[in-house]
Amino acid sequence: MDEMEEELKCPVCGSFFREPIILPCSHNICLACARNILVQTPEAESPQSSRASGSGVSDYDYLELDKMSLYSETDSGYGSYGGFVSAPTTPCQKSPNGVRVFPPTVPPPPLAQHHLLPHTGVLPPVPRNSCLTCPQCHRSLTLDDRGLRGFPKNRVLEGVVDRYQQSKAAALKCQLCEKSPREATVMCEQCDVFYCDPCRLRCHPPRGPLAKHRLVPPAQGRISRRTSPRKISTCTEHELENLSMYCVQCKTPVCYQCLEDGKHSTHEVKALGAMWKLHKGQLSQALNVLSDRATEAKEFLVQLRNMVQHIQENGVEFEACLVAQCDALIEALNRRKAQLLSRVTKEHEHKLLVVRDQISHCTVKLRQTTGLMEYCLEVIKENDPSGFLQISDALIRRVHMTENQWGKGSLTPRMSSDFDLTLDSGPLLQTIQQLDFVQMKVPAAPILQMEECCTQTNSATLSWKQPPLSTIAVDGYILELDDGNGGQFREVYVGTEMICTVDGLRFNSTYKSRVKAFNSSGVGQYSKTLVMQTSEIAWFTFDSVSAHPDIILSNDNLTVTCNSYDDRVIMGNTGFSRGVHYWEMTIDRYDNHPDPAFGIARADVLKDVMLGKDDKAWAMYVDNNRSWFMHNNSHTNRTDGGISKGATVGVLLDFSRGILLFLINDEQQGPVAFNTLEGMYYPAISLNRNVQVTLHSGLPVPDFYTPGESEAAGSVC
């Protein structure tokens, strides 16, 4: 019951209702709070304000003084009013609902001398032309001469508040214990007495008349127990009259005097008790609906709380996965860093090795050159010409050879001191900056929209959607159907659309269908399997949509003729690809011996030539004496026997054998007309204005014909 507490609190003071009154807008307010928020309209002045106007005090000052009713939660909330005197305005406060209220304050010196009387149950007079604004809907209400007494008291709400406050009180004690009462364990609804266990066994044994009494827990009994006898309601306009009727037009209880001379005299009224029961029933029904909504809301809240837990768990898991992935990237970068540093170290050591080797070679060579130069200088110092000439040629050659050794390139470093390695980190930095989350999960299972899925003859239309909370990208969908006989599923559609019509199914068959979504990460789960039943018989009509403009249809598209002397083609609205099918056409009119053609055709057959002229149709054309089979303008199997008015032409299409044959007046016309037929075919006919035929579809196979083995097992349509 804690949730109900807000319903039991006044929107002005925020406390439990005390003497609540019902405003015309159906909201409730404490009687004392209503007095506090009264506003006086400026049209007229009260006598007191007129007397005070001479002393420079405004009407609003007296209104503010009137709002300072000495309200207390321990008494009735009112003090006596001895008159209106000048007083400074009192600062206002706001209730929990934001309504301006004027709390009890210390009376100013003039009021401090007034004598306060105990509450007598009589309201002080309300200034004339007062206005009250509902604190909830802000609707302004003008009071009449009765003032606040014109608003009915809400005794029901007052009783609920009393029972609620009692339920919050201390534990109830046994009412029959003599000295120290024990805590009550049950309450008898009939006796209206609380019992402890010993007193119940002693004073209320479960036998005799007491066996029929209903014992309830103390808490339940405390709520349902009335604190005082039911009060008799009196009329707000006729205070001495009890409310006994209900005005249907005004939707309010009234008394007999209201019906005799009041404003309700011409209104429809009903018995108060009957309307009471009726409205209780209506409220109970409304509560049942609201209870269902509340139950759904509780389940939804449980779902949301579970989602909070799942989000927290998934968040921790996802963060850990992200940290692991980033750590793996860092580890890979560190490994690459070590590899690159190793290459730099090798390059560094190689450069040092080359330069040091060159230094060593140049040092040896320079030492040899220096030695040769010093030796030559010493030889030049010698004064022996003959001895000098003996070695001079050899020394000159050695000097030239040594000088040549210091020629081009010998004094050039073999290795540069710069490192020719440049780390190309730009693409990696760009990749790191572009590092983001991508969709790597497979799509959730689609939801089949049952209200949009249907079958018509041998076609099935399926519609689906993604789950409402799914944010996973979808690249397309795969629709699968079984073979209509409990076999394996097969793909019938792959694409991005979320609605698909499958034609050419077997009649009188039960198909199972399912759909799944896919993206770059893979294929998701299947949806729930939907079972669909095709039509029991292969019933169809002529297709007015695809017909040639010269074709004239009637009889719900079962009768066809033409307004042209040239042959025009019309097809059926249902295609066949499996099973055995038989239909007939009755010749309603046959003038001037034309050649109508009957047979089957592909969907893209020519419509302005005789059926069978192109390679999209297989037909038999017939006159009044004989017939021919024709396909792709090839005429074969001339057979005697023609048609006339009232004749019947039958067409039998057997996919189990892949054959097509014709009948005239229940007799087979010629041999099997065509064989090796596979794929989707539509019933078709070509005729001109001299012929009118009526279609009869969904007929049983003629008795003389035996279907193939696969069809004889019970799948003949």
Side-chain angles (χ1 to χ4, degrees), residues 590-622:
Y590 187 77
D591 302 328
N592 302 323
H593 310 298
D595 300 323
F598 308 87
I600 58 176
R602 300 289 191 185
D604 54 348
V605 65
L606 297 176
K607 303 292 181 21
D608 54 357
V609 296
M610 178 183 287
L611 191 68
K613 285 286 188 179
D614 61 358
D615 62 347
K616 305 296 184 181
W618 295 255
M620 177 191 74
Y621 70 94
V622 57

PDB file of all heavy atoms in Angstrom, residues 590-622:
ATOM      1  N   TYR A 590     -19.995 -19.582 -80.808  1.00  0.00           N
ATOM      2  CA  TYR A 590     -19.051 -19.995 -81.852  1.00  0.00           C
ATOM      3  C   TYR A 590     -19.662 -19.620 -83.199  1.00  0.00           C
ATOM      4  O   TYR A 590     -20.562 -20.303 -83.718  1.00  0.00           O
ATOM      5  CB  TYR A 590     -18.786 -21.496 -81.762  1.00  0.00           C
ATOM      6  CG  TYR A 590     -17.703 -21.991 -82.698  1.00  0.00           C
ATOM      7  CD1 TYR A 590     -16.366 -21.782 -82.408  1.00  0.00           C
ATOM      8  CD2 TYR A 590     -18.028 -22.660 -83.875  1.00  0.00           C
ATOM      9  CE1 TYR A 590     -15.377 -22.233 -83.258  1.00  0.00           C
ATOM     10  CE2 TYR A 590     -17.049 -23.124 -84.738  1.00  0.00           C
ATOM     11  CZ  TYR A 590     -15.723 -22.899 -84.425  1.00  0.00           C
ATOM     12  OH  TYR A 590     -14.737 -23.347 -85.284  1.00  0.00           O
ATOM     13  N   ASP A 591     -19.184 -18.505 -83.775  1.00  0.00           N
ATOM     14  CA  ASP A 591     -19.745 -17.979 -85.027  1.00  0.00           C
ATOM     15  C   ASP A 591     -18.678 -17.974 -86.117  1.00  0.00           C
ATOM     16  O   ASP A 591     -17.496 -17.679 -85.856  1.00  0.00           O
ATOM     17  CB  ASP A 591     -20.273 -16.552 -84.822  1.00  0.00           C
ATOM     18  CG  ASP A 591     -21.329 -16.477 -83.726  1.00  0.00           C
ATOM     19  OD1 ASP A 591     -22.072 -17.473 -83.562  1.00  0.00           O
ATOM     20  OD2 ASP A 591     -21.393 -15.426 -83.041  1.00  0.00           O
ATOM     21  N   ASN A 592     -19.074 -18.287 -87.340  1.00  0.00           N
ATOM     22  CA  ASN A 592     -18.225 -18.148 -88.534  1.00  0.00           C
ATOM     23  C   ASN A 592     -16.993 -19.048 -88.514  1.00  0.00           C
ATOM     24  O   ASN A 592     -15.969 -18.729 -89.137  1.00  0.00           O
ATOM     25  CB  ASN A 592     -17.804 -16.689 -88.730  1.00  0.00           C
ATOM     26  CG  ASN A 592     -19.004 -15.766 -88.853  1.00  0.00           C
ATOM     27  OD1 ASN A 592     -20.032 -16.147 -89.452  1.00  0.00           O
ATOM     28  ND2 ASN A 592     -18.893 -14.561 -88.282  1.00  0.00           N
ATOM     29  N   HIS A 593     -17.045 -20.121 -87.779  1.00  0.00           N
ATOM     30  CA  HIS A 593     -15.992 -21.152 -87.778  1.00  0.00           C
ATOM     31  C   HIS A 593     -14.589 -20.596 -87.512  1.00  0.00           C
ATOM     32  O   HIS A 593     -13.656 -20.789 -88.313  1.00  0.00           O
ATOM     33  CB  HIS A 593     -15.989 -21.906 -89.108  1.00  0.00           C
ATOM     34  CG  HIS A 593     -17.341 -22.401 -89.511  1.00  0.00           C
ATOM     35  ND1 HIS A 593     -18.043 -23.309 -88.756  1.00  0.00           N
ATOM     36  CD2 HIS A 593     -18.136 -22.101 -90.587  1.00  0.00           C
ATOM     37  CE1 HIS A 593     -19.215 -23.563 -89.339  1.00  0.00           C
ATOM     38  NE2 HIS A 593     -19.304 -22.824 -90.451  1.00  0.00           N
ATOM     39  N   PRO A 594     -14.346 -19.881 -86.426  1.00  0.00           N
ATOM     40  CA  PRO A 594     -12.987 -19.404 -86.104  1.00  0.00           C
ATOM     41  C   PRO A 594     -12.118 -20.553 -85.589  1.00  0.00           C
ATOM     42  O   PRO A 594     -12.566 -21.691 -85.435  1.00  0.00           O
ATOM     43  CB  PRO A 594     -13.237 -18.354 -85.025  1.00  0.00           C
ATOM     44  CG  PRO A 594     -14.481 -18.828 -84.352  1.00  0.00           C
ATOM     45  CD  PRO A 594     -15.338 -19.467 -85.411  1.00  0.00           C
ATOM     46  N   ASP A 595     -10.845 -20.231 -85.288  1.00  0.00           N
ATOM     47  CA  ASP A 595      -9.874 -21.222 -84.794  1.00  0.00           C
ATOM     48  C   ASP A 595      -9.352 -20.806 -83.414  1.00  0.00           C
ATOM     49  O   ASP A 595      -8.211 -20.338 -83.292  1.00  0.00           O
ATOM     50  CB  ASP A 595      -8.691 -21.347 -85.753  1.00  0.00           C
ATOM     51  CG  ASP A 595      -9.121 -21.775 -87.141  1.00  0.00           C
ATOM     52  OD1 ASP A 595     -10.044 -22.598 -87.232  1.00  0.00           O
ATOM     53  OD2 ASP A 595      -8.541 -21.257 -88.119  1.00  0.00           O
ATOM     54  N   PRO A 596     -10.101 -20.954 -82.347  1.00  0.00           N
ATOM     55  CA  PRO A 596      -9.547 -20.647 -81.019  1.00  0.00           C
ATOM     56  C   PRO A 596      -8.470 -21.661 -80.644  1.00  0.00           C
ATOM     57  O   PRO A 596      -8.508 -22.819 -81.091  1.00  0.00           O
ATOM     58  CB  PRO A 596     -10.764 -20.748 -80.099  1.00  0.00           C
ATOM     59  CG  PRO A 596     -11.669 -21.703 -80.798  1.00  0.00           C
ATOM     60  CD  PRO A 596     -11.486 -21.461 -82.274  1.00  0.00           C
ATOM     61  N   ALA A 597      -7.520 -21.228 -79.845  1.00  0.00           N
ATOM     62  CA  ALA A 597      -6.409 -22.093 -79.414  1.00  0.00           C
ATOM     63  C   ALA A 597      -6.400 -22.187 -77.893  1.00  0.00           C
ATOM     64  O   ALA A 597      -6.589 -21.182 -77.194  1.00  0.00           O
ATOM     65  CB  ALA A 597      -5.077 -21.547 -79.923  1.00  0.00           C
ATOM     66  N   PHE A 598      -6.164 -23.427 -77.406  1.00  0.00           N
ATOM     67  CA  PHE A 598      -6.171 -23.701 -75.970  1.00  0.00           C
ATOM     68  C   PHE A 598      -4.842 -24.348 -75.599  1.00  0.00           C
ATOM     69  O   PHE A 598      -4.300 -25.154 -76.376  1.00  0.00           O
ATOM     70  CB  PHE A 598      -7.320 -24.640 -75.616  1.00  0.00           C
ATOM     71  CG  PHE A 598      -8.658 -24.191 -76.121  1.00  0.00           C
ATOM     72  CD1 PHE A 598      -9.094 -24.538 -77.401  1.00  0.00           C
ATOM     73  CD2 PHE A 598      -9.485 -23.428 -75.329  1.00  0.00           C
ATOM     74  CE1 PHE A 598     -10.323 -24.126 -77.871  1.00  0.00           C
ATOM     75  CE2 PHE A 598     -10.729 -23.019 -75.787  1.00  0.00           C
ATOM     76  CZ  PHE A 598     -11.145 -23.356 -77.066  1.00  0.00           C
ATOM     77  N   GLY A 599      -4.305 -24.004 -74.419  1.00  0.00           N
ATOM     78  CA  GLY A 599      -3.050 -24.628 -74.012  1.00  0.00           C
ATOM     79  C   GLY A 599      -2.417 -23.939 -72.825  1.00  0.00           C
ATOM     80  O   GLY A 599      -3.105 -23.442 -71.927  1.00  0.00           O
ATOM     81  N   ILE A 600      -1.092 -23.876 -72.853  1.00  0.00           N
ATOM     82  CA  ILE A 600      -0.309 -23.285 -71.763  1.00  0.00           C
ATOM     83  C   ILE A 600       0.731 -22.351 -72.367  1.00  0.00           C
ATOM     84  O   ILE A 600       1.054 -22.452 -73.563  1.00  0.00           O
ATOM     85  CB  ILE A 600       0.380 -24.364 -70.906  1.00  0.00           C
ATOM     86  CG1 ILE A 600       1.300 -25.225 -71.774  1.00  0.00           C
ATOM     87  CG2 ILE A 600      -0.658 -25.217 -70.181  1.00  0.00           C
ATOM     88  CD1 ILE A 600       2.102 -26.252 -70.997  1.00  0.00           C
ATOM     89  N   ALA A 601       1.250 -21.445 -71.531  1.00  0.00           N
ATOM     90  CA  ALA A 601       2.235 -20.475 -72.033  1.00  0.00           C
ATOM     91  C   ALA A 601       3.116 -19.989 -70.897  1.00  0.00           C
ATOM     92  O   ALA A 601       2.777 -20.116 -69.711  1.00  0.00           O
ATOM     93  CB  ALA A 601       1.516 -19.289 -72.687  1.00  0.00           C
ATOM     94  N   ARG A 602       4.258 -19.461 -71.305  1.00  0.00           N
ATOM     95  CA  ARG A 602       5.134 -18.779 -70.352  1.00  0.00           C
ATOM     96  C   ARG A 602       4.553 -17.396 -70.053  1.00  0.00           C
ATOM     97  O   ARG A 602       3.656 -16.909 -70.749  1.00  0.00           O
ATOM     98  CB  ARG A 602       6.536 -18.623 -70.930  1.00  0.00           C
ATOM     99  CG  ARG A 602       7.221 -19.931 -71.279  1.00  0.00           C
ATOM    100  CD  ARG A 602       7.626 -20.722 -70.054  1.00  0.00           C
ATOM    101  NE  ARG A 602       8.507 -21.833 -70.422  1.00  0.00           N
ATOM    102  CZ  ARG A 602       8.944 -22.748 -69.575  1.00  0.00           C
ATOM    103  NH1 ARG A 602       8.572 -22.695 -68.304  1.00  0.00           N
ATOM    104  NH2 ARG A 602       9.747 -23.724 -69.980  1.00  0.00           N
ATOM    105  N   ALA A 603       5.117 -16.764 -69.019  1.00  0.00           N
ATOM    106  CA  ALA A 603       4.582 -15.464 -68.608  1.00  0.00           C
ATOM    107  C   ALA A 603       4.806 -14.391 -69.667  1.00  0.00           C
ATOM    108  O   ALA A 603       4.025 -13.438 -69.762  1.00  0.00           O
ATOM    109  CB  ALA A 603       5.203 -15.035 -67.284  1.00  0.00           C
ATOM    110  N   ASP A 604       5.849 -14.526 -70.514  1.00  0.00           N
ATOM    111  CA  ASP A 604       6.180 -13.489 -71.495  1.00  0.00           C
ATOM    112  C   ASP A 604       5.714 -13.855 -72.902  1.00  0.00           C
ATOM    113  O   ASP A 604       6.322 -13.447 -73.902  1.00  0.00           O
ATOM    114  CB  ASP A 604       7.678 -13.224 -71.492  1.00  0.00           C
ATOM    115  CG  ASP A 604       8.496 -14.497 -71.700  1.00  0.00           C
ATOM    116  OD1 ASP A 604       7.909 -15.602 -71.624  1.00  0.00           O
ATOM    117  OD2 ASP A 604       9.719 -14.394 -71.921  1.00  0.00           O
ATOM    118  N   VAL A 605       4.645 -14.622 -73.029  1.00  0.00           N
ATOM    119  CA  VAL A 605       4.136 -15.010 -74.332  1.00  0.00           C
ATOM    120  C   VAL A 605       3.597 -13.785 -75.067  1.00  0.00           C
ATOM    121  O   VAL A 605       3.152 -12.804 -74.451  1.00  0.00           O
ATOM    122  CB  VAL A 605       3.031 -16.081 -74.167  1.00  0.00           C
ATOM    123  CG1 VAL A 605       1.830 -15.494 -73.450  1.00  0.00           C
ATOM    124  CG2 VAL A 605       2.630 -16.676 -75.503  1.00  0.00           C
ATOM    125  N   LEU A 606       3.626 -13.824 -76.412  1.00  0.00           N
ATOM    126  CA  LEU A 606       3.040 -12.741 -77.201  1.00  0.00           C
ATOM    127  C   LEU A 606       1.529 -12.761 -77.055  1.00  0.00           C
ATOM    128  O   LEU A 606       0.892 -13.817 -77.100  1.00  0.00           O
ATOM    129  CB  LEU A 606       3.438 -12.886 -78.673  1.00  0.00           C
ATOM    130  CG  LEU A 606       4.937 -12.771 -78.985  1.00  0.00           C
ATOM    131  CD1 LEU A 606       5.180 -13.028 -80.474  1.00  0.00           C
ATOM    132  CD2 LEU A 606       5.455 -11.394 -78.595  1.00  0.00           C
ATOM    133  N   LYS A 607       0.931 -11.558 -76.931  1.00  0.00           N
ATOM    134  CA  LYS A 607      -0.503 -11.474 -76.659  1.00  0.00           C
ATOM    135  C   LYS A 607      -1.323 -11.094 -77.895  1.00  0.00           C
ATOM    136  O   LYS A 607      -2.546 -11.096 -77.822  1.00  0.00           O
ATOM    137  CB  LYS A 607      -0.749 -10.423 -75.556  1.00  0.00           C
ATOM    138  CG  LYS A 607      -0.002 -10.685 -74.257  1.00  0.00           C
ATOM    139  CD  LYS A 607      -0.517 -11.885 -73.555  1.00  0.00           C
ATOM    140  CE  LYS A 607       0.186 -12.177 -72.241  1.00  0.00           C
ATOM    141  NZ  LYS A 607       0.892 -11.182 -71.560  1.00  0.00           N
ATOM    142  N   ASP A 608      -0.681 -10.750 -79.015  1.00  0.00           N
ATOM    143  CA  ASP A 608      -1.420 -10.251 -80.168  1.00  0.00           C
ATOM    144  C   ASP A 608      -1.369 -11.194 -81.365  1.00  0.00           C
ATOM    145  O   ASP A 608      -1.641 -10.806 -82.496  1.00  0.00           O
ATOM    146  CB  ASP A 608      -0.900  -8.875 -80.585  1.00  0.00           C
ATOM    147  CG  ASP A 608       0.594  -8.881 -80.826  1.00  0.00           C
ATOM    148  OD1 ASP A 608       1.228  -9.939 -80.620  1.00  0.00           O
ATOM    149  OD2 ASP A 608       1.135  -7.828 -81.220  1.00  0.00           O
ATOM    150  N   VAL A 609      -1.002 -12.459 -81.135  1.00  0.00           N
ATOM    151  CA  VAL A 609      -1.012 -13.482 -82.185  1.00  0.00           C
ATOM    152  C   VAL A 609      -1.677 -14.736 -81.626  1.00  0.00           C
ATOM    153  O   VAL A 609      -1.941 -14.844 -80.423  1.00  0.00           O
ATOM    154  CB  VAL A 609       0.422 -13.803 -82.661  1.00  0.00           C
ATOM    155  CG1 VAL A 609       1.071 -12.591 -83.305  1.00  0.00           C
ATOM    156  CG2 VAL A 609       1.282 -14.309 -81.500  1.00  0.00           C
ATOM    157  N   MET A 610      -1.945 -15.689 -82.514  1.00  0.00           N
ATOM    158  CA  MET A 610      -2.560 -16.936 -82.074  1.00  0.00           C
ATOM    159  C   MET A 610      -1.632 -17.666 -81.109  1.00  0.00           C
ATOM    160  O   MET A 610      -0.412 -17.662 -81.278  1.00  0.00           O
ATOM    161  CB  MET A 610      -2.884 -17.834 -83.277  1.00  0.00           C
ATOM    162  CG  MET A 610      -3.487 -19.180 -82.888  1.00  0.00           C
ATOM    163  SD  MET A 610      -3.778 -20.270 -84.295  1.00  0.00           S
ATOM    164  CE  MET A 610      -5.182 -19.459 -85.020  1.00  0.00           C
ATOM    165  N   LEU A 611      -2.214 -18.287 -80.098  1.00  0.00           N
ATOM    166  CA  LEU A 611      -1.436 -19.039 -79.120  1.00  0.00           C
ATOM    167  C   LEU A 611      -0.688 -20.173 -79.823  1.00  0.00           C
ATOM    168  O   LEU A 611      -1.286 -20.969 -80.550  1.00  0.00           O
ATOM    169  CB  LEU A 611      -2.381 -19.600 -78.056  1.00  0.00           C
ATOM    170  CG  LEU A 611      -1.725 -20.191 -76.809  1.00  0.00           C
ATOM    171  CD1 LEU A 611      -1.050 -19.103 -75.991  1.00  0.00           C
ATOM    172  CD2 LEU A 611      -2.764 -20.930 -75.957  1.00  0.00           C
ATOM    173  N   GLY A 612       0.630 -20.263 -79.630  1.00  0.00           N
ATOM    174  CA  GLY A 612       1.460 -21.274 -80.269  1.00  0.00           C
ATOM    175  C   GLY A 612       2.288 -20.745 -81.408  1.00  0.00           C
ATOM    176  O   GLY A 612       3.130 -21.477 -81.955  1.00  0.00           O
ATOM    177  N   LYS A 613       2.084 -19.486 -81.791  1.00  0.00           N
ATOM    178  CA  LYS A 613       2.864 -18.910 -82.879  1.00  0.00           C
ATOM    179  C   LYS A 613       4.327 -18.688 -82.482  1.00  0.00           C
ATOM    180  O   LYS A 613       5.217 -18.727 -83.334  1.00  0.00           O
ATOM    181  CB  LYS A 613       2.243 -17.579 -83.315  1.00  0.00           C
ATOM    182  CG  LYS A 613       0.969 -17.711 -84.122  1.00  0.00           C
ATOM    183  CD  LYS A 613       1.243 -18.186 -85.541  1.00  0.00           C
ATOM    184  CE  LYS A 613       0.002 -18.144 -86.401  1.00  0.00           C
ATOM    185  NZ  LYS A 613       0.273 -18.575 -87.793  1.00  0.00           N
ATOM    186  N   ASP A 614       4.577 -18.422 -81.203  1.00  0.00           N
ATOM    187  CA  ASP A 614       5.955 -18.203 -80.754  1.00  0.00           C
ATOM    188  C   ASP A 614       6.414 -19.409 -79.934  1.00  0.00           C
ATOM    189  O   ASP A 614       5.674 -20.372 -79.729  1.00  0.00           O
ATOM    190  CB  ASP A 614       6.080 -16.900 -79.968  1.00  0.00           C
ATOM    191  CG  ASP A 614       5.221 -16.904 -78.713  1.00  0.00           C
ATOM    192  OD1 ASP A 614       4.499 -17.897 -78.484  1.00  0.00           O
ATOM    193  OD2 ASP A 614       5.253 -15.913 -77.963  1.00  0.00           O
ATOM    194  N   ASP A 615       7.662 -19.324 -79.459  1.00  0.00           N
ATOM    195  CA  ASP A 615       8.221 -20.448 -78.704  1.00  0.00           C
ATOM    196  C   ASP A 615       7.874 -20.387 -77.227  1.00  0.00           C
ATOM    197  O   ASP A 615       8.446 -21.132 -76.423  1.00  0.00           O
ATOM    198  CB  ASP A 615       9.737 -20.483 -78.881  1.00  0.00           C
ATOM    199  CG  ASP A 615      10.409 -19.219 -78.348  1.00  0.00           C
ATOM    200  OD1 ASP A 615       9.694 -18.230 -78.074  1.00  0.00           O
ATOM    201  OD2 ASP A 615      11.647 -19.204 -78.205  1.00  0.00           O
ATOM    202  N   LYS A 616       6.935 -19.504 -76.822  1.00  0.00           N
ATOM    203  CA  LYS A 616       6.544 -19.364 -75.419  1.00  0.00           C
ATOM    204  C   LYS A 616       5.205 -20.044 -75.129  1.00  0.00           C
ATOM    205  O   LYS A 616       4.705 -19.930 -74.011  1.00  0.00           O
ATOM    206  CB  LYS A 616       6.442 -17.879 -75.037  1.00  0.00           C
ATOM    207  CG  LYS A 616       7.698 -17.069 -75.310  1.00  0.00           C
ATOM    208  CD  LYS A 616       8.871 -17.537 -74.487  1.00  0.00           C
ATOM    209  CE  LYS A 616      10.086 -16.632 -74.730  1.00  0.00           C
ATOM    210  NZ  LYS A 616      11.265 -17.083 -73.958  1.00  0.00           N
ATOM    211  N   ALA A 617       4.620 -20.726 -76.115  1.00  0.00           N
ATOM    212  CA  ALA A 617       3.292 -21.307 -75.911  1.00  0.00           C
ATOM    213  C   ALA A 617       3.223 -22.690 -76.558  1.00  0.00           C
ATOM    214  O   ALA A 617       3.873 -22.967 -77.576  1.00  0.00           O
ATOM    215  CB  ALA A 617       2.217 -20.397 -76.491  1.00  0.00           C
ATOM    216  N   TRP A 618       2.394 -23.551 -75.942  1.00  0.00           N
ATOM    217  CA  TRP A 618       2.122 -24.903 -76.426  1.00  0.00           C
ATOM    218  C   TRP A 618       0.598 -25.037 -76.466  1.00  0.00           C
ATOM    219  O   TRP A 618      -0.058 -24.942 -75.412  1.00  0.00           O
ATOM    220  CB  TRP A 618       2.727 -25.945 -75.495  1.00  0.00           C
ATOM    221  CG  TRP A 618       4.221 -25.918 -75.438  1.00  0.00           C
ATOM    222  CD1 TRP A 618       5.071 -26.791 -76.022  1.00  0.00           C
ATOM    223  CD2 TRP A 618       5.063 -24.974 -74.738  1.00  0.00           C
ATOM    224  NE1 TRP A 618       6.375 -26.479 -75.760  1.00  0.00           N
ATOM    225  CE2 TRP A 618       6.408 -25.358 -74.960  1.00  0.00           C
ATOM    226  CE3 TRP A 618       4.814 -23.839 -73.958  1.00  0.00           C
ATOM    227  CZ2 TRP A 618       7.489 -24.653 -74.450  1.00  0.00           C
ATOM    228  CZ3 TRP A 618       5.884 -23.148 -73.444  1.00  0.00           C
ATOM    229  CH2 TRP A 618       7.215 -23.545 -73.686  1.00  0.00           C
ATOM    230  N   ALA A 619       0.031 -25.252 -77.675  1.00  0.00           N
ATOM    231  CA  ALA A 619      -1.416 -25.117 -77.801  1.00  0.00           C
ATOM    232  C   ALA A 619      -1.993 -26.114 -78.798  1.00  0.00           C
ATOM    233  O   ALA A 619      -1.270 -26.746 -79.602  1.00  0.00           O
ATOM    234  CB  ALA A 619      -1.773 -23.693 -78.231  1.00  0.00           C
ATOM    235  N   MET A 620      -3.317 -26.226 -78.725  1.00  0.00           N
ATOM    236  CA  MET A 620      -4.125 -26.917 -79.730  1.00  0.00           C
ATOM    237  C   MET A 620      -5.123 -25.907 -80.270  1.00  0.00           C
ATOM    238  O   MET A 620      -5.907 -25.348 -79.498  1.00  0.00           O
ATOM    239  CB  MET A 620      -4.862 -28.110 -79.117  1.00  0.00           C
ATOM    240  CG  MET A 620      -5.786 -28.817 -80.108  1.00  0.00           C
ATOM    241  SD  MET A 620      -6.888 -30.032 -79.337  1.00  0.00           S
ATOM    242  CE  MET A 620      -8.070 -28.952 -78.522  1.00  0.00           C
ATOM    243  N   TYR A 621      -5.071 -25.646 -81.597  1.00  0.00           N
ATOM    244  CA  TYR A 621      -6.104 -24.786 -82.170  1.00  0.00           C
ATOM    245  C   TYR A 621      -7.067 -25.677 -82.955  1.00  0.00           C
ATOM    246  O   TYR A 621      -6.667 -26.681 -83.570  1.00  0.00           O
ATOM    247  CB  TYR A 621      -5.507 -23.669 -83.021  1.00  0.00           C
ATOM    248  CG  TYR A 621      -4.870 -24.079 -84.315  1.00  0.00           C
ATOM    249  CD1 TYR A 621      -5.596 -24.066 -85.519  1.00  0.00           C
ATOM    250  CD2 TYR A 621      -3.522 -24.444 -84.366  1.00  0.00           C
ATOM    251  CE1 TYR A 621      -5.001 -24.434 -86.715  1.00  0.00           C
ATOM    252  CE2 TYR A 621      -2.920 -24.799 -85.553  1.00  0.00           C
ATOM    253  CZ  TYR A 621      -3.664 -24.798 -86.737  1.00  0.00           C
ATOM    254  OH  TYR A 621      -3.075 -25.162 -87.923  1.00  0.00           O
ATOM    255  N   VAL A 622      -8.347 -25.307 -82.962  1.00  0.00           N
ATOM    256  CA  VAL A 622      -9.388 -26.197 -83.448  1.00  0.00           C
ATOM    257  C   VAL A 622     -10.480 -25.371 -84.129  1.00  0.00           C
ATOM    258  O   VAL A 622     -10.771 -24.242 -83.705  1.00  0.00           O
ATOM    259  CB  VAL A 622      -9.966 -27.039 -82.279  1.00  0.00           C
ATOM    260  CG1 VAL A 622     -10.507 -26.162 -81.186  1.00  0.00           C
ATOM    261  CG2 VAL A 622     -11.028 -28.015 -82.760  1.00  0.00           C
TER     262      VAL A 622
END
